Amino acid sequence: MTVTLADVAARARVSPATVSRVLNGNYPVAASTRERVLRAVDELDYVLNGPASSLAAATSDLVGILVNDIADPFFGIMAGAAQTEIGGQEGSGRAGGEKLAVVCNTAGSPERELTYLTLLQRQRAAAVVLTGGALEDPDHIAAMTTKLAKLADAGTRVVLCGRPPLPGSEAIVAALAFDNRGGGRRLTEHLVALGHRRIGYVAGPTERTTTRHRLEGHRAALAAAGIDGDQDRLTVHGLYARRSGYDATLELLRRDPGLTAVVAANDTVALGACAALRDQGLRIPEDVSVAGFDDLPFSIDAVPALTTVRLPLYEAGARAGRLAMGTEAAPPGGIATIAAELMARSSTAPPRKG
């Protein structure tokens, strides 16, 4: 025999409307009443009718988390932390306000990003979390602004994690933006303070906000130090991948065999840079210093340990999850800048003399 909402109400000694409020999480209910309803749900093994509930409440129990590459720890850490917050407390075993988090892997495709948002809109998603840097293309920005506005109008909470806010968009609950410029500047200031003047830079894809902001920080530090070399010649763009770091470093050495340091767009790229230097018979950091960005888990275990910039990826993802669930208040103005911390390790050292 199918258990109904009325059966739960009778067991909990409340009205069916109160049961609905507890399960949909859209109205404040006294803690003791909520506990009684959830106990009745457990005892009767009641299953909420998801599609019917979503039609009635305008949103479903679904939350979408968009990532560029789930295999990349940068995205995996943020997505995992957000999913933990969205799924509710571990071991509760109840469906009284928790959501089902679905990770959508865009592979960096702007078309796929818009497609996933459309699918989540059709499913009346309760919230959407978009992670990582944004694509700097006017047409895509306009399409994203329109799409996110439609989601918000339908009751979906939109949170950006590790990405700057869209210009002119009021649809976003909060944007948690990493201080990529500040981190990039501090990293290069560290190398300059060690005595480096011939510094190559392996940048990410040209069309990404993360790439531009980190590169701007790097060049600001060089300008402040009066290093007026040809920075375009000492910058090579590529994907955020180990192979790109390898190939770009070989190209930098071809352009300037006397480089004393290489700054990589992220830690994965830095590993490729290290491999390229070793294959050329160069030692790290005795011959060439190497630095990365993000402080991914493997960076401290690299040999030598990688100098990098720490972004609090887990903390940012968890906060995005709470914002998506409405369990944490949005920052003032809806925008928060998350600090980046220099982690100076043994892959950087003063350049050798002569």
Side-chain angles (χ1 to χ4, degrees):
M1 181 176 175
T2 302
V3 176
T4 67
L5 187 139
D7 295 329
V8 174
R11 174 68 67 94
R13 303 187 306 281
V14 297
S15 69
T18 298
V19 175
S20 179
R21 289 169 181 167
V22 170
L23 296 180
N24 289 321
N26 58 2
Y27 194 88
V29 176
S32 58
T33 301
R34 183 176 186 275
E35 179 63 25
R36 204 160 65 244
V37 169
L38 294 177
R39 191 181 307 117
V41 168
D42 285 348
E43 291 171 352
L44 296 174
D45 198 23
Y46 174 70
V47 178
L48 182 67
N49 185 329
S53 173
S54 66
L55 289 172
T59 59
S60 69
D61 287 333
L62 181 68
V63 175
I65 304 174
L66 273 65
V67 301
N68 281 3
D69 181 5
I70 193 60
D72 185 335
F74 177 86
F75 294 100
I77 291 169
M78 286 190 291
Q83 191 169 34
T84 297
E85 295 292 332
I86 291 164
Q89 294 299 313
E90 185 177 356
S92 67
R94 289 173 170 170
E98 297 86 352
K99 305 295 181 184
L100 174 65
V102 175
V103 178
C104 306
N105 196 73
T106 69
S109 163
E111 293 81 10
R112 196 173 297 181
E113 185 172 59
L114 288 167
T115 297
Y116 278 131
L117 290 175
T118 298
L119 293 172
L120 290 165
Q121 181 185 353
R122 290 175 183 170
Q123 294 296 319
R124 301 174 181 267
V128 171
V129 177
L130 295 97
T131 65
L135 184 69
E136 295 194 302
D137 174 76
D139 291 338
H140 184 65
I141 291 172
M144 285 290 289
T145 301
T146 300
K147 178 62 65 179
L148 294 180
K150 288 181 179 179
L151 281 160
D153 287 344
T156 299
R157 297 175 64 84
V158 179
V159 178
L160 307 184
C161 183
R163 127 174 0 202
L166 285 168
S169 173
E170 280 114 33
I172 297 166
V173 170
L176 308 178
F178 294 130
D179 183 16
N180 285 307
R181 283 192 189 89
R185 180 165 186 152
R186 282 186 285 278
L187 190 62
T188 299
E189 286 174 341
H190 168 69
L191 289 169
V192 170
L194 289 173
H196 292 277
R197 294 296 181 271
R198 300 169 76 174
I199 305 172
Y201 193 93
V202 183
T206 56
E207 68 276 7
R208 293 282 167 183
T209 55
T210 301
T211 298
R212 179 169 62 84
H213 294 165
R214 293 181 182 182
L215 182 55
E216 285 175 352
H218 166 72
R219 291 187 171 179
L222 294 178
I227 300 175
D228 300 321
D230 184 357
Q231 294 309 310
D232 287 336
R233 186 176 67 88
L234 294 180
T235 301
V236 178
H237 288 269
L239 300 176
Y240 285 112
R242 182 185 180 279
R243 184 69 204 189
S244 292
Y246 187 97
D247 293 341
T249 300
L250 293 181
E251 175 61 20
L252 285 170
L253 289 172
R254 185 190 67 78
R255 295 179 185 183
D256 186 350
L259 283 179
T260 64
V262 174
V263 177
N266 69 6
D267 292 343
T268 303
V269 173
L271 290 186
C274 289
L277 292 168
R278 290 193 185 99
D279 285 353
Q280 295 302 302
L282 297 169
R283 300 166 299 165
I284 304 164
E286 292 85 354
D287 297 319
V288 181
S289 289
V290 178
F293 208 110
D294 295 337
D295 195 25
L296 298 179
F298 60 75
S299 63
I300 198 169
D301 294 321
V303 180
L306 188 64
T307 290
T308 185
V309 171
R310 182 181 187 273
L311 296 180
L313 300 174
Y314 186 90
E315 294 86 344
R319 186 177 181 187
R322 292 192 297 271
L323 287 163
M325 291 291 287
T327 57
E328 178 174 323
I335 301 172
T337 300
I338 300 175
E341 179 185 4
L342 174 68
M343 309 298 290
R345 298 183 180 131
S346 53
S347 69
T348 51
R352 60 179 180 174
K353 300 197 184 288

